[in-house]
Amino acid sequence: AHEGSGSWRPASSNITIQANTIHDTFGESLYLGGAGCSVTDTGLSDANCNGKPSHSNITIDNNTFTSCGSRGGQGDCIDVKAAITSLTISRNDITGIVGVARAIVMQGIQTDGTNQNIVIERNKIYSASVDDGAVAIVNSWGTPNGVTVRNNIISDITSGVGVKVYNTQATGVFVYNNTFYNNSSDAIQSAGTITVTNNALLSNNGDGVQTSMSGTVSSTFNAF
């Protein structure tokens, strides 16, 4: 009812979720709902808030996720809803996704140029069947802006792409220093503003096309 929350909640900050083992879930393994919003907060109707104002300064670090969604439901391993800012998702081990799900999926923010300052780094995502992307940066509840995907290993994804980016705001998405190996489809797909630098993209898509990117693209120093 309030874009990621069942009812309105004040925005929270300084949250750490660390060193947990989560497996064989019904539905999402870890769900970060938006705070929800009201006319009092934004002057907008609930239908147009995109979850703003929402939570900030969140760390999801060194967790193990296995067989997300194996008991049914929509089984994303880490599902991040709208307007969250200053979020770091790091050093997580994610494998064995079953069904229509992603390893990491995140939403955007109102189209006002706000930099979300989201970093997805040093995660290992492997041996999984995913929906659209192992890491999906989507625009269904708000348009992403200021997301960095770096130093991750994404390998042996049997369906879906490595990193899937939908439309973005001007700051866009930065993808660098990642290794994509032996994934059944493209390593990277994007329709927004994206900077792709210093990645290793090896033996993906049956040794066919490794990326499919439109929109505003900067691609340098990648190894194919």
Side-chain angles (χ1 to χ4, degrees):
H2 294 262
E3 303 198 1
S5 182
S7 59
W8 180 84
R9 292 290 183 269
S12 299
S13 63
N14 303 321
I15 300 164
T16 299
I17 301 170
Q18 187 175 53
N20 300 283
T21 298
I22 305 172
H23 63 92
D24 296 285
T25 57
F26 182 96
E28 293 89 340
S29 297
L30 178 60
Y31 185 97
L32 277 66
C37 59
S38 67
V39 174
T40 302
D41 296 315
T42 62
L44 301 171
S45 69
D46 287 342
N48 295 310
C49 290
N50 290 331
K52 192 176 180 181
S54 195
H55 314 301
S56 64
N57 297 320
I58 303 168
T59 300
I60 302 170
D61 176 67
N62 196 27
N63 301 284
T64 299
F65 297 88
T66 306
S67 300
C68 307
S70 65
R71 298 294 188 261
Q74 207 291 324
D76 297 324
C77 293
I78 302 174
D79 188 346
V80 181
K81 290 307 183 197
I84 286 175
T85 58
S86 297
L87 165 67
T88 299
I89 301 173
S90 64
R91 301 192 305 161
N92 299 284
D93 188 289
I94 303 174
T95 189
I97 299 169
V98 178
V100 180
R102 299 95 152 201
I104 300 169
V105 58
M106 58 146 296
Q107 307 282 342
I109 199 165
Q110 289 171 313
T111 53
D112 57 7
T114 299
N115 188 328
Q116 289 180 268
N117 188 31
I118 290 176
V119 177
I120 300 169
E121 65 177 3
R122 295 188 291 167
N123 301 284
K124 184 178 179 182
I125 304 169
Y126 59 101
S127 300
S129 172
V130 302
D131 182 10
D132 46 358
V135 176
I137 300 168
V138 306
N139 61 348
S140 53
W141 284 16
T143 306
N145 201 46
V147 181
T148 297
V149 181
R150 67 188 182 198
N151 297 101
N152 301 282
I153 297 173
I154 301 176
S155 71
D156 298 290
I157 303 301
T158 58
S159 67
V161 304
V163 172
K164 174 79 172 181
V165 180
Y166 290 79
N167 189 34
T168 67
Q169 297 184 56
T171 302
V173 174
F174 303 88
V175 180
Y176 63 89
N177 295 355
N178 300 283
T179 298
F180 300 88
Y181 174 70
N182 199 36
N183 300 301
S184 65
S185 187
D186 299 350
I188 304 169
Q189 291 182 358
S190 175
T193 297
I194 189 169
T195 300
V196 180
T197 302
N198 203 40
N199 299 280
L201 307 98
L202 309 170
S203 300
N204 302 288
N205 198 27
D207 290 329
V209 173
Q210 301 287 290
T211 66
S212 176
M213 298 184 289
S214 60
T216 303
V217 179
S218 174
S219 178
T220 56
F221 303 110
N222 298 289
F224 296 91

